[in-house]
């Protein structure tokens, strides 16, 4: 068993284009930059950029997401970027009190001749400390690809601001 060590770091933002209304799902855009901050044996060694379209729909307390995107992955020794495509289908549901469940099937297309496609299954528990701060922990199971067969994780999500609602409250905005 390997001890957990820090890997590369990432930073990004998500912008909601429009909210869910009756039959219409929520539509958002996501951008994440991965920064090569890890030691060479733990990280990728190059910058990466991910852009996704996020479609979300609630049916009562059942929440579904479909995410499609493209990632441009830097080539450490060669320069330039390889491209791979991402797809994810996820489901989440509150369990009891502040606890929730999330499940996901996700994968990347082949990046280049030496990096094949990947697919993972995720199961996680979430705990909402507040509407803006959510803790999560769970595991990824690799279905195929050059990935560890089992990866445990823990993390947190903090919403800094809801710019969509700030914009819609501005006196000059039209509904």
């Amino acid at each position: 068993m390997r001890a957990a060590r820090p890997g590369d770091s990432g930073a990004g933002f998500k912008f909601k284009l429009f909210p869910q209304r009756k039959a219409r799902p929520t539509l958002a855009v996501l951008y994440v930059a991965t920064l090569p901050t890890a030691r060479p044996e733990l990280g990728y060694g190059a910058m990466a950029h991910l852009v996704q379209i996020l479609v979300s729909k609630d049916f009562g307390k059942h929440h579904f997401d479909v995410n499609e995107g493209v990632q441009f992955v830097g080539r450490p020794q060669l320069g330039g970027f390889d491209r791979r495509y991402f797809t994810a289908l996820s489901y989440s549901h509150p369990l009891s009190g502040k606890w929730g469940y999330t499940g996901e099937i996700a994968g990347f297309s082949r990046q280049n001749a030496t990096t094949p496609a990947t697919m993972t299954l995720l199961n996680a528990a979430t705990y909402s400390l507040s509407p803006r701060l959510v803790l999560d922990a769970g595991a990824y199971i690799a279905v195929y690809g050059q990935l560890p067969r089992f990866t445990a994780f823990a993390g947190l999500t903090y919403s800094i601001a809801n710019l969509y609602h700030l914009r819609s409250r501005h006196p000059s905005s039209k509904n």
Side-chain angles (χ1 to χ4, degrees), residues 111-146:
Q111 179 176 316
N112 56 36
T114 61
T115 307
T118 61
M119 181 185 289
T120 60
L121 298 174
L122 171 141
N123 282 289
T126 61
Y127 186 79
S128 297
L129 290 170
S130 75
R132 296 173 70 167
L133 179 60
V134 179
L135 305 177
D136 62 356
Y140 288 100
I141 299 167
V143 177
Y144 65 82
Q146 296 174 347

Side-chain angles (χ1 to χ4, degrees), residues 21 164 167-175:
R21 298 242 167 117
Y164 182 83
R167 184 181 68 175
S168 65
R169 288 186 193 139
H170 191 273
S172 66
S173 67
K174 307 258 187 209
N175 288 335

Side-chain angles (χ1 to χ4, degrees), residues 2-30:
R2 287 189 342 197
R5 294 181 228 154
D8 288 336
S9 300
F13 67 88
K14 180 169 57 171
F15 182 76
K16 188 188 312 181
L17 299 171
F18 55 81
Q20 175 176 296
R21 298 242 167 117
K22 297 182 183 177
R24 182 182 76 187
T26 298
L27 182 66
V29 176
L30 172 73

